Every structure is written in C-alpha cells, then in structure tokens.
Amino acid sequence: MKNSVFIATSLDGFIAGKNDELDWLSTFPEIDHIDTGFNEFTSRIDALLMGRNTFEVVAGFEEWFYKKPVFVWSNSLTEIPEKLQDKAFLVKGSIPEVLAEINGRSFKNLYIDGGKTIQSFLREDLIDEMIITTIPVLLGSGIPMFGELPKRLVFECVKSTRFLDKVVQNHFVRKR
Amino acid sequence: MKNSVFIATSLDGFIAGKNDELDWLSTFPEIDHIDTGFNEFTSRIDALLMGRNTFEVVAGFEEWFYKKPVFVWSNSLTEIPEKLQDKAFLVKGSIPEVLAEINGRSFKNLYIDGGKTIQSFLREDLIDEMIITTIPVLLGSGIPMFGELPKRLVFECVKSTRFLDKVVQNHFVRKR
C-alpha cells in the first residue's frame, strides 16, 4: 500500500493563485510538450483519490485525463455526473474508512490529489512519496500546498530532474 | 551588480520554526561534513547584507562565519559590538540608499541574507539569483522564506544538485 503525490507548485509553494488561478503553470509553455514523468507515474498507480473541489475542476475540463479509476472523497456530493459514472466513484467517511474501502477493492497504489486531500493525508502521516514539480515563479500569495501538521515529517530527496533549464522536479520519499 | 541569496529552507518553505527553531537544519547531520557549495558561493560575492535580526543571531555564535564584509541594515541599531567592528558595518535608509552606499564602495556582488531582508529585496525585484537548499522536512509552521509581492517574479532553475540522496539544492536565476 502506497500513497503518492504528483503535483506542481510555484516556487513559493502555492498550488493555485488566491483566486484559484492556474495560468502560472504555463509560465513556460514549451514544458507542455515534454514528458515530465506523468505517464511513468500513472503507470505505477492503481487509482486516484481526490476531494470534491479538485474533482469539480477536472470534471469541468473537456477531456478526462485519467486512465485509472478516480475516487472522489466527499461527504456532501451525492452523485457523479452521468458521463463519468464508469470513471469516477464516490467515497465517504474518515481517511481510514476511505482507504479501507479503496484498498479493499485491490487498489493498493494511490495517487492522492488536491490540496485539502493531500494536507489531510499528511496530517495522518499517510503520504509515502511526493513528486513535486516546481514552476519557478513567485506568486506572492495563493493556496498553499502544505499546511499545519501535528508533528514533523522527514522525507528524502531521491531524485531531481530539470526540464529545459527552467523547471525542476524533485522526488521526495518518506523516511520512516 | 548582482544580489544573491544562499539559504536553506524546509520542504514546506520555512527558514525557521515558529519559535525560531533551527534544529531541523541538522535533520541529516552527515550533511555538515559535505561541501554544499557555500565556499564557491562566497568566493564570488564581495559582501553580505543582512538585517538586524539575522545579525544578532550570527553575532551570538562563538565563531564568526564570514570572510567578506557584512553590512547590517538597521534603522534602530546604533552600533556594532566592539569585537566585530572590523567585520560588520551599519547601513541605514531605504533599499536604494543602502545599495547606493554599498555598491558605491565597490561591493558589487552582494549576498542578501535574512528572511525580512530577502523579502524586502524581492518586493523591489532586486534579487538576481537564489540558491535554495531544501531540507526535506515538513515543519507544519514557522517563519516563511517568501512573502507577499506586488507582482509575480519569474525565475529559471539553472542547476539542481542532490546531497547524500537526501537533500536537494536548486539554483534559480531571475529571468528578466
């Protein structure tokens, strides 16, 4: 069982601007034509878990990005839009309940996505690795990747890759 | 004229814990025996500029670390302790005034240090490069490296170096 994060942040640690702006992700548009490891990453996960906010964003895109089942963790959402009913599945309850349900269905390696969901998992020390692509832009404000924690968590940087001499991707693994 | 930053932060972007703790810098004590580029960096700077807070911390250490002149930017400090009077020098005024004074004395390449001073320089878009060593620890809270900005600043990651498979140092250069 492994919970992984694959995300892009600004140099000052935001995953979105203060009004949810994501345009800074395209600061270097040439990066969109490069393989930054997302396919390799998704090839080794069994399913995704994201919160309602992130799901509503990605469900609004014309194209559905995910080749693996997406579990949507929400206690308020009552149903998945019809066109996505074979791709996304609602799960409810606490993190242990949600993990028990998903892992019990043989999805062992999970891609944990969405700011609040990642922070919830980090508070429970349930994140095993994080692949963080830093877009070297200082936004000055926004929605932070990381939040308060009940205890310090130590990771190790096992890999670092630069793209186009501009963007850097660091791979951190939890040291237990 | 070039203003550079060389600093260590936690994975969640803090330069000190919320009670000024710095013990997390030694999460991997073996790193202290390794050359992480500080000597190469200081060989290409002419002087340092730091605020009062940082100066009072480093002035309290038994050993004085700096081989280059240290300018202490403070409008409240009235004098430098006697034992440091040939090493550290008070400067006052706005950033342009301080830079004019230091650059005018032929110190062109400056090491800008201390959280508040770095943030002040970034607000004026006066930082040309940042070498940031990430100690991959999530602290959960603390004194942040970055702050609010009047406008976005775009950098490029020109180098990335890992140490001991644990710590990563990314070198960002301002793209103008």
Side-chain angles (χ1 to χ4, degrees):
Chain A
M1 245 93 84
K2 189 170 173 186
N3 299 318
S4 305
V5 166
F6 189 103
I7 203 164
T9 76
S10 70
L11 180 48
D12 42 3
F14 299 112
I15 56 171
K18 61 182 166 183
N19 300 310
D20 288 327
E21 302 94 317
L22 293 174
D23 61 299
W24 54 274
L25 288 169
S26 305
T27 303
F28 306 108
E30 58 272 39
I31 204 85
D32 293 339
H33 307 294
I34 280 186
D35 176 11
T36 57
F38 188 72
N39 289 331
E40 189 278 325
F41 174 74
T42 50
S43 75
R44 59 186 179 81
I45 59 140
D46 303 317
L48 289 90
L49 177 64
M50 60 177 63
R52 182 178 53 82
N53 290 338
T54 304
F55 175 67
E56 287 178 348
V57 171
V58 298
F61 294 155
E62 265 186 47
E63 198 184 348
W64 181 252
F65 285 113
Y66 308 107
K67 296 184 180 77
K68 303 288 171 84
V70 170
F71 290 93
V72 184
W73 182 27
S74 171
N75 293 313
S76 62
L77 212 62
T78 54
E79 58 174 15
I80 296 292
E82 200 171 348
K83 64 169 182 172
L84 296 175
Q85 285 186 357
D86 59 338
K87 298 181 174 70
F89 311 92
L90 268 182
V91 287
K92 291 180 192 298
S94 66
I95 291 183
E97 289 166 341
V98 163
L99 278 182
E101 181 179 342
I102 300 173
N103 293 156
R105 290 166 68 178
S106 291
F107 300 108
K108 304 296 188 190
N109 297 305
L110 303 184
Y111 175 4
I112 309 299
D113 202 17
K116 284 185 186 172
T117 304
I118 294 168
Q119 289 190 8
S120 299
F121 271 67
L122 283 170
R123 280 196 297 273
E124 308 276 333
D125 192 10
L126 285 168
I127 296 294
D128 300 293
E129 64 168 349
M130 298 188 284
I131 298 170
I132 301 176
T133 304
T134 299
I135 310 293
V137 181
L138 294 179
L139 296 179
S141 62
I143 297 170
M145 157 102 196
F146 296 109
E148 297 261 338
L149 291 172
K151 62 164 187 172
R152 286 184 190 178
L153 301 177
V154 178
F155 288 77
E156 293 179 346
C157 185
V158 299
K159 192 177 174 193
S160 181
T161 312
R162 290 185 312 112
F163 301 109
L164 300 171
D165 255 346
K166 289 169 180 167
V167 166
V168 63
Q169 182 180 79
N170 295 310
H171 187 151
F172 300 99
V173 171
R174 177 80 173 100
K175 179 197 167 91
R176 297 188 194 273
Chain B
M1 246 95 85
K2 190 170 174 184
N3 299 318
S4 306
V5 167
F6 189 103
I7 202 164
T9 76
S10 70
L11 179 47
D12 42 2
F14 299 111
I15 55 170
K18 61 182 167 184
N19 300 309
D20 288 325
E21 302 94 317
L22 293 174
D23 61 299
W24 54 273
L25 287 169
S26 306
T27 302
F28 305 108
E30 58 272 41
I31 206 85
D32 293 339
H33 306 295
I34 282 186
D35 175 10
T36 57
F38 187 72
N39 289 332
E40 188 276 326
F41 174 74
T42 50
S43 75
R44 58 186 178 82
I45 59 137
D46 302 318
L48 289 90
L49 176 64
M50 61 177 64
R52 182 177 53 83
N53 290 337
T54 304
F55 175 67
E56 287 177 350
V57 171
V58 298
F61 294 155
E62 266 189 46
E63 197 184 349
W64 182 252
F65 286 111
Y66 308 104
K67 295 183 180 78
K68 304 286 171 85
V70 171
F71 291 93
V72 183
W73 182 26
S74 171
N75 293 313
S76 62
L77 212 63
T78 53
E79 58 173 17
I80 296 292
E82 199 171 352
K83 64 170 181 169
L84 295 175
Q85 285 186 355
D86 59 338
K87 298 180 174 70
F89 310 92
L90 268 182
V91 286
K92 291 181 195 297
S94 66
I95 291 184
E97 289 166 341
V98 163
L99 278 182
E101 180 177 342
I102 299 173
N103 293 157
R105 290 166 68 177
S106 291
F107 300 107
K108 304 295 187 189
N109 297 304
L110 303 184
Y111 175 4
I112 309 299
D113 202 18
K116 284 184 187 173
T117 304
I118 294 168
Q119 289 189 11
S120 300
F121 270 66
L122 283 170
R123 279 196 297 274
E124 309 276 332
D125 191 11
L126 286 168
I127 295 294
D128 300 293
E129 64 168 350
M130 298 189 284
I131 298 170
I132 302 176
T133 304
T134 300
I135 310 294
V137 181
L138 295 178
L139 297 178
S141 62
I143 297 169
M145 158 102 197
F146 296 110
E148 297 262 339
L149 291 172
K151 62 164 188 171
R152 288 183 188 178
L153 301 178
V154 177
F155 288 78
E156 292 179 346
C157 185
V158 298
K159 193 177 175 193
S160 180
T161 313
R162 290 187 311 112
F163 300 109
L164 301 171
D165 254 346
K166 291 170 179 166
V167 166
V168 64
Q169 181 180 80
N170 295 311
H171 187 151
F172 300 99
V173 171
R174 177 79 172 103
K175 177 197 168 89
R176 297 185 196 273

